[in-house]
């Protein structure tokens, strides 16, 4: 099961769903164009059913997201999928695909430990802080394979000025 933000082009959405569907996967549309109002419940059911749920939580979520640090700068990540997993006591891990020696290497890392957290908010922060640390580590290891399409820090005014060449 893949969690994805739907886009305005329905043709592309159908293509994505068809490609993933060929391999027995489903796509649950969240936030964005024609999102699924039952998405949260579907994601939670998939998790509780034992399905592997993939959520890319690397885009700036704005102030409604969970604040963390990436390469020494504050940023906001979406915490919804993590909160669902933490509520259900479901393991959360990270995975990376890298090209090594002409081959693609898939690495699934050990689960992130969040059980000592005393609140849901603390658990989500623990997971997203570790996620950011692991992502940063992987980018440092393979910088030539990291390309960013989005403005990671766009919701922070002090950093947004750097995008405009004023910082």
């Amino acid at each position: 099961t893949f969690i994805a933000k739907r886009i305005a082009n329905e043709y592309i959405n159908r293509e994505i769903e068809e490609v993933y569907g060929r391999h027995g996967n489903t796509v649950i549309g969240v936030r964005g164009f024609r999102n699924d109002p039952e998405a949260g419940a579907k994601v939670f059911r998939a998790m509780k059913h034992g399905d592997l749920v993939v959520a890319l939580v690397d885009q700036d979520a704005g102030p409604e997201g969970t604040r963390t640090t990436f390469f020494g700068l504050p940023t906001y990540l979406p915490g919804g999928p993590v909160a669902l997993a933490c509520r259900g006591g479901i393991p959360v891990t990270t995975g990376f695909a890298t090209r090594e020696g002409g081959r693609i290497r898939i690495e699934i890392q050990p689960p992130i430990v969040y059980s000592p957290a005393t609140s849901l908010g603390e658990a989500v922060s623990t997971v997203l802080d570790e996620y950011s640390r692991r992502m940063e580590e992987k980018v440092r290891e393979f910088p030539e394979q990291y390309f960013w399409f989005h403005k990671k820090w766009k919701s922070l005014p002090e950093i947004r000025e750097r995008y405009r060449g004023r910082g």
Side-chain angles (χ1 to χ4, degrees), residues 58 70 135 139 142-151:
D58 56 353
F70 188 62
M135 173 71 117
V139 172
F142 298 98
E144 73 284 359
Q145 295 183 35
Y146 183 74
F147 185 80
W148 197 252
F149 291 99
H150 306 281
K151 293 181 177 176

Side-chain angles (χ1 to χ4, degrees), residues 67-76 136 153 156 159 162:
R67 191 172 174 132
T68 187
T69 303
F70 188 62
F71 281 101
L73 297 171
T75 189
Y76 294 97
E136 187 175 321
W153 296 277
L156 295 159
I159 297 171
R162 293 183 189 180

Side-chain angles (χ1 to χ4, degrees), residues 24-101:
N25 298 299
T26 58
V27 178
I28 299 173
V30 296
R31 295 192 70 196
F33 188 77
R34 294 187 189 160
N35 63 336
D36 184 342
E38 299 293 318
K42 288 179 180 178
V43 169
F44 190 72
R45 279 194 301 273
M47 288 177 176
K48 290 304 274 184
H49 185 257
D51 293 352
L52 175 65
V53 176
V54 177
L56 303 176
V57 295
D58 56 353
Q59 290 190 31
D60 185 303
E64 66 273 9
T66 301
R67 191 172 174 132
T68 187
T69 303
F70 188 62
F71 281 101
L73 297 171
T75 189
Y76 294 97
L77 297 178
V82 174
L84 287 173
C86 292
R87 272 192 204 122
I90 298 163
V92 178
T93 189
T94 49
F96 298 95
T98 53
R99 184 174 295 279
E100 298 179 33

Side-chain angles (χ1 to χ4, degrees), residues 97-110:
T98 53
R99 184 174 295 279
E100 298 179 33
R103 300 185 69 140
I104 300 294
R105 178 174 181 261
I106 305 294
E107 176 187 2
I108 306 297
Q109 299 180 324

